[in-house]
Amino acid sequence: MDMARYANTSQLEGLNEIIGQENATKAMELGLKIDNPAYNIFVAGDSGTGKTTYVLSALKMHAENKNDHKDWCYVYNFENSREPIAIALDKGMGKLFKKDMEKLIESLLDELKDAFESEEFEISKNELLDDFEIEKENLLQKIKKYGEEKGFKLKNSKVGMIFTPQDEEVDTTSEEFYKVKKELENAAIQIAYKIKDIEEDAKEALLDLEYEVGKYIVDPHIDSLLERYGHFEKVRKYLDDTKNDILEYVYLFYMDEEDLKEKYDKEHFTKYKVNLLVDNGLDRCGAPVVVEINPSPANLFGKAEYEYYNGTVKTDFTKLLPGAVHKANGGYLVLYVDQLLRYNLSWDILKKTIQQGEITLDTQTAIKPEKIPVNIKVVLIGNNYMYNLLYNYDPEFNKYFKIFVDFDNEMKKNDYNETRLANFIASYCNSNNLNHFTYEGVEQVVRYSTRITGNREKLSTKFNKIVEILVEGDAYSKIRGSKYVDKEDVLKAIKERRERFSKIEKKMDESIENGFTLISTNGSKVGVINGLSVLNMGEYSFGRPCRITVTTAPGSSGIVNIEREVEMSGPIHSKGVLILNGFLLENLAQEFPLSLNANICFEQNYGGVDGDSASGAELYAMLSSLSGVPIKQNIGATGSINQKGDIQVVGGVTEKVEGFYYACKKKGLTGSEGVILPRNNLRNLVLVEEVRNAINEGRFHIYPIDRIEEAIEILTDKTFEEVKSLAIEKLKKYSELEK
């Protein structure tokens, strides 16, 4: 570390920004600035790179400058009860509107009951009815008097008005009697119709009186609400419809509760409620940022609750519940791709929602709420595999997610980034009450960060791995009673983490030490070499030598990969073996046909093998077998080859070098041991202190090479031409025998 020295990180400023993701942050900023429904964002990167933390931070910052989100309500549709109406209100007004409607009904229930039970209403009602009773009585008296003039008495019965003769001895069979009676009955029928009309008029007049009284009570309340919400067109219409409905059913507002339950639907007053679907509140600053971790269709796009009533399932607009898309409307919706793709329907509906610009709340019943216009920026968080999967197999994906934010898992190792890493450590210690790190402690964290990348020129951006060392280093510093986390605490944290995952490694060490695994680290053998492999145990990996043996004989089978024959070889390893054949053809069999039976085997390998990093070691062993020149067993080899004999870079060189070092240590280091590796892999060596010291002190050796010729000379102490000549002689004999 070349940055300015400091005593400990308490002297450094904290860091409130993400490190080493310049390209990703540029893409994110662009995506957030483009206001276009097609420019939604896909954020990809390895776990622990801080992508989720950054995304939420960036969204929160941009959300502060957006203020066009609304409150959303569903209200009753008086024209079609099956299609509730969606109403948008300025943020914070939804709750007020809901409360105002509740107060309206509460007030009207009291005031209308008082009005219709008042003495004034009873007097007006009686006066109105008295006028109609007088008119009705006049008609009855008129027909009664007329009947008396004709000699008949008027009686009321269940079937109506009946005329009977006053003189009981009158001849009821005479034509004159019948004629007069018929005339009176016809007159009575006319009077009955007039009385019916009077009663209807009285009823209408009574309803008009009730309407006027109701209107007198209701209008001021509705007018007050119109003053507050009248500038919202849909609210204005809803209030007008509400007023008309209240006046139409005004008698329900003063009816006794028992009568109301018996004669009318108890849910009648539900229609005056407001379902506040989305409440953004008066005190919320900026647009909403919603993270949905379980994006089922219901959780994303809302649903309707149900209840059982008289044996049937019922729902209504008050039972509609919002989804994450409703809550994020006007702002940002964050989804995790691996969770989203578990719900095929959610993914399809999400694309449809973006395309149509509106949310469909699917209730799966006859009720069909009005669609709500949507304006959101969707941010998907996943990895590169998920991105490529969607890009290649969903033709609609690129239509709606045009911004790709790719988080790198490493950054350049330079003074600037090392300083920012130290600032990050200072910030994390401050916010999590950890002991601050000394300069030497930070140096070890930087080295650990480099080791994670496997490249001495890089630093890791997997900050979750670094945080683990910060937390555990802090614990060890407190155990030893120190105020600061020093180098020894960081090294102990790294060592103890390794110990916790090293059960398999220790068992393999015991197997080598006890001689169960046949590994030689001294002497020389023909056709035998120590190849180097890496075993991955979850987040933990370690290197181990593996004895590779090659046998050769006359024949025409060519090179036989024993692992492949028993289906323990991966395709890349099989490719590496086939490359050996190309090298032999060009370098050893130009003057005669190649006739060869060669068997290659990874001895005591029971778990399969893949990768081409052992192809170099396999070729060295094959040349040894053909030439009869023995190979030193104290030198391990890694590196892939091409058909021209160039040595190519491989992965895991740090673990391979350390693995061979520890194996040699178990067998007893003599100071002659070492590892052959590709020269271009030197930048990938980030070794533990013990191995570094052994190399620096000449007790262990690194042999970087570019060509196979260099490897042969190191392994055999002979020139490549000498070994090649002997191998060609052997192959000539094989060719002659084959003839």
Side-chain angles (χ1 to χ4, degrees):
M1 293 173 62
D2 296 322
M3 58 186 179
R5 194 174 180 93
Y6 49 86
N8 59 74
T9 52
S10 67
Q11 300 170 359
L12 300 178
E13 292 183 2
L15 186 73
N16 295 317
E17 60 184 26
I18 196 163
I19 308 174
Q21 304 292 351
E22 288 76 12
N23 289 336
T25 54
K26 285 180 183 177
M28 188 72 177
E29 288 298 318
L30 176 65
L32 293 176
K33 286 177 181 176
I34 296 178
D35 187 14
N36 185 304
Y39 280 77
N40 295 292
I41 301 168
F42 191 106
V43 180
D46 291 347
S47 176
T49 53
K51 60 183 183 296
T52 301
T53 302
Y54 166 74
V55 164
L56 296 179
S57 176
L59 293 181
K60 184 178 179 181
M61 183 178 68
H62 279 264
E64 290 176 355
N65 300 319
K66 288 187 68 175
N67 202 31
D68 55 355
H69 51 294
K70 305 288 185 183
D71 285 352
W72 284 94
C73 307
Y74 271 115
V75 296
Y76 185 78
N77 186 342
F78 291 96
E79 296 176 2
N80 186 345
S81 62
R82 294 185 180 275
E83 298 180 1
I85 297 170
I87 292 178
L89 297 167
D90 294 339
K91 65 173 186 173
M93 294 192 70
K95 185 178 289 185
L96 296 176
F97 182 51
K98 177 182 175 71
K99 287 183 177 179
D100 283 343
M101 287 301 297
E102 291 171 352
K103 289 179 182 177
L104 169 69
I105 301 305
E106 289 175 4
S107 299
L108 291 180
L109 283 169
D110 291 336
E111 294 180 24
L112 289 172
K113 192 174 185 67
D114 290 343
F116 287 111
E117 291 179 354
S118 66
E119 183 179 352
E120 293 83 352
F121 177 74
E122 286 299 321
I123 291 173
S124 299
K125 176 182 174 181
N126 290 335
E127 288 177 351
L128 179 68
L129 294 177
D130 285 347
D131 291 341
F132 286 103
E133 284 297 323
I134 290 171
E135 187 176 355
K136 177 181 173 182
E137 186 62 27
N138 288 337
L139 287 173
L140 290 173
Q141 290 299 324
K142 183 177 179 181
I143 189 65
K144 181 180 179 182
K145 183 177 180 182
Y146 183 69
E148 289 174 349
E149 291 175 354
K150 296 291 186 177
F152 284 82
K153 295 185 293 183
L154 179 64
K155 291 184 178 181
N156 287 321
S157 70
K158 293 181 179 179
V159 296
M161 290 181 286
I162 298 175
F163 288 94
T164 58
Q166 293 176 341
D167 184 0
E168 295 180 356
E169 296 183 359
V170 68
D171 183 6
T172 58
T173 61
S174 68
E175 183 177 347
E176 180 65 23
F177 177 86
Y178 177 79
K179 183 178 180 181
V180 172
K181 184 179 180 183
K182 191 69 175 174
E183 178 188 351
L184 290 174
E185 287 176 348
N186 289 336
I189 291 172
Q190 292 178 6
I191 293 297
Y193 277 117
K194 287 182 180 181
I195 289 173
K196 187 176 181 181
D197 289 341
I198 290 171
E199 289 174 345
E200 288 295 327
D201 290 344
K203 191 174 181 180
E204 285 293 326
L206 184 59
L207 289 175
D208 289 343
L209 176 62
E210 287 184 343
Y211 181 86
E212 290 301 321
V213 172
K215 194 170 185 300
Y216 177 78
I217 301 296
V218 173
D219 274 1
H221 289 284
I222 297 295
D223 290 343
S224 176
L225 293 179
L226 285 171
E227 286 182 15
R228 181 176 294 182
Y229 305 103
H231 55 290
F232 298 106
E233 182 180 348
K234 294 180 81 171
V235 178
R236 187 168 62 248
K237 183 179 186 310
Y238 170 71
L239 289 175
D240 287 341
D241 290 343
T242 298
K243 180 179 76 171
N244 294 334
D245 192 78
I246 290 173
L247 293 176
E248 181 179 353
Y249 295 97
V250 69
Y251 56 89
L252 298 179
F253 283 79
Y254 63 85
M255 185 175 288
D256 288 340
E257 193 170 326
E258 290 300 320
D259 291 341
L260 186 64
K261 286 181 180 179
E262 288 179 12
K263 298 179 181 179
Y264 297 95
D265 186 352
K266 66 176 183 177
E267 301 296 333
H268 175 83
F269 290 94
T270 299
K271 66 172 72 173
Y272 307 125
K273 292 181 178 179
V274 172
N275 180 357
L276 180 55
L277 195 75
V278 178
D279 177 20
N280 281 306
L282 287 169
D283 55 349
R284 171 177 282 177
C285 297
V289 177
V290 177
V291 181
E292 179 53 63
I293 60 175
N294 181 25
S296 66
N299 287 349
L300 274 183
F301 307 102
K303 64 179 180 179
E305 289 185 324
Y306 307 93
E307 66 176 17
Y308 286 93
Y309 180 69
N310 290 337
T312 61
V313 177
K314 289 187 62 178
T315 189
D316 58 58
F317 75 97
T318 65
K319 295 179 176 60
L320 300 177
L321 300 177
V325 177
H326 294 96
K327 297 173 184 177
N329 201 2
Y332 306 93
L333 175 62
V334 180
L335 302 172
Y336 295 96
V337 183
D338 59 338
Q339 298 296 326
L340 178 62
L341 294 184
R342 295 183 182 187
Y343 302 97
N344 292 334
L345 188 58
S346 290
W347 175 236
D348 290 337
I349 298 176
L350 179 64
K351 291 184 293 183
K352 184 178 178 181
T353 299
I354 294 172
Q355 179 189 26
Q356 297 181 348
E358 56 188 15
I359 314 169
T360 301
L361 202 161
D362 186 7
T363 62
Q364 299 181 347
T365 64
I367 186 172
K368 293 184 178 180
E370 183 181 5
K371 295 178 180 179
I372 293 177
V374 65
N375 175 27
I376 58 172
K377 181 79 71 176
V378 180
V379 180
L380 299 183
I381 298 178
N383 54 38
N384 291 83
Y385 172 77
M386 291 289 186
Y387 178 82
N388 292 330
L389 187 71
L390 289 170
Y391 189 91
N392 291 314
Y393 292 100
D394 189 336
E396 295 181 317
F397 171 68
N398 198 41
K399 291 181 182 179
Y400 309 123
F401 291 88
K402 294 186 177 295
I403 297 295
F404 179 50
V405 178
D406 192 8
F407 272 66
D408 202 345
N409 58 10
E410 60 186 27
M411 59 184 171
K412 289 183 179 180
K413 186 175 185 292
N414 52 36
D415 289 347
Y416 176 69
N417 283 335
E418 287 181 3
T419 300
R420 294 214 294 171
L421 180 54
N423 293 135
F424 168 77
I425 294 172
S427 179
Y428 192 85
C429 290
N430 287 331
S431 59
N432 293 276
N433 197 29
L434 303 185
N435 284 346
H436 277 277
F437 282 62
T438 65
Y439 182 88
E440 292 77 12
V442 174
E443 279 187 315
Q444 291 305 314
V445 174
V446 170
R447 177 172 286 278
Y448 180 74
S449 175
T450 301
R451 182 181 174 90
I452 294 173
T453 68
N455 190 329
R456 287 188 293 187
E457 298 175 3
K458 300 287 186 180
L459 291 172
S460 176
T461 57
K462 293 184 177 180
F463 291 101
N464 63 329
K465 302 296 183 188
I466 295 170
V467 164
E468 290 170 357
I469 298 302
L470 301 185
V471 172
E472 293 168 27
D474 166 74
Y476 288 121
S477 72
K478 289 174 178 174
I479 289 172
R480 66 184 183 87
S482 174
K483 290 178 60 178
Y484 299 105
V485 184
D486 208 346
K487 173 182 176 179
E488 62 183 285
D489 302 308
V490 177
L491 290 175
K492 186 170 179 61
I494 296 170
K495 180 182 177 182
E496 291 299 323
R497 281 189 64 79
R498 187 181 184 95
E499 288 290 324
R500 292 198 293 272
F501 293 101
S502 63
K503 181 181 76 173
I504 302 299
E505 182 181 14
K506 289 177 179 177
K507 289 187 178 296
M508 295 184 74
D509 283 343
E510 291 175 6
S511 181
I512 292 174
E513 192 172 9
N514 296 331
F516 297 148
T517 300
L518 299 179
I519 295 291
S520 297
T521 60
N522 54 67
S524 299
K525 298 184 183 216
V526 174
V528 179
I529 192 170
N530 285 321
L532 304 177
S533 61
V534 176
L535 286 80
N536 292 301
M537 311 299 295
E539 67 173 59
Y540 177 66
S541 60
F542 61 94
R544 275 296 172 269
C546 179
R547 174 177 283 189
I548 300 173
T549 61
V550 177
T551 60
T552 54
S556 58
S557 298
I559 301 174
V560 176
N561 175 11
I562 292 178
E563 268 68 30
R564 180 182 180 184
E565 295 302 311
V566 296
E567 299 183 349
M568 291 177 65
S569 172
I572 299 176
H573 178 250
S574 298
K575 176 186 175 184
V577 173
L578 293 174
I579 289 173
L580 302 184
N581 195 61
F583 177 85
L584 294 179
L585 288 171
E586 179 163 290
N587 289 274
L588 305 181
Q590 290 294 303
E591 299 178 0
F592 52 86
L594 181 63
S595 299
L596 175 67
N597 280 347
N599 290 337
I600 300 175
C601 181
F602 279 67
E603 304 292 354
Q604 293 184 289
N605 169 41
Y606 308 109
V609 61
D610 198 10
D612 62 354
S613 65
S615 59
E618 290 167 337
L619 180 57
Y620 311 150
M622 182 172 294
L623 290 173
S624 171
S625 178
L626 288 171
S627 66
V629 176
I631 289 176
K632 297 175 184 176
Q633 300 299 293
N634 59 344
I635 297 177
T638 186
S640 71
I641 64 162
N642 60 28
Q643 295 186 109
K644 300 298 183 180
D646 298 314
I647 303 301
Q648 302 167 145
V649 297
V650 294
V653 289
T654 295
E655 290 83 358
K656 290 173 180 177
V657 170
E658 291 176 349
F660 192 64
Y661 169 83
Y662 289 124
C664 293
K665 185 179 177 182
K666 293 289 183 184
K667 292 287 189 177
L669 276 174
T670 65
S672 63
E673 295 85 358
V675 171
I676 293 173
L677 50 77
R679 190 179 304 278
N680 286 334
N681 269 134
L682 285 176
R683 74 187 69 179
N684 304 115
L685 279 180
V686 190
L687 301 168
V688 296
E689 189 171 29
E690 179 183 350
V691 181
R692 288 201 315 273
N693 291 339
I695 293 171
N696 292 336
E697 295 167 5
R699 294 182 290 108
F700 194 76
H701 307 276
I702 298 296
Y703 300 100
I705 63 170
D706 296 308
R707 295 279 306 168
I708 183 177
E709 294 86 351
E710 301 171 69
I712 292 298
E713 292 176 7
I714 295 168
L715 288 167
T716 65
D717 288 334
K718 293 183 179 296
T719 66
F720 176 73
E721 290 301 323
E722 290 178 295
V723 175
K724 175 181 175 182
S725 177
L726 293 171
I728 289 174
E729 289 300 319
K730 179 69 70 68
L731 288 173
K732 280 182 180 179
K733 291 179 181 178
Y734 288 171
S735 181
E736 290 297 325
L737 289 171
E738 185 67 18
K739 289 180 182 179

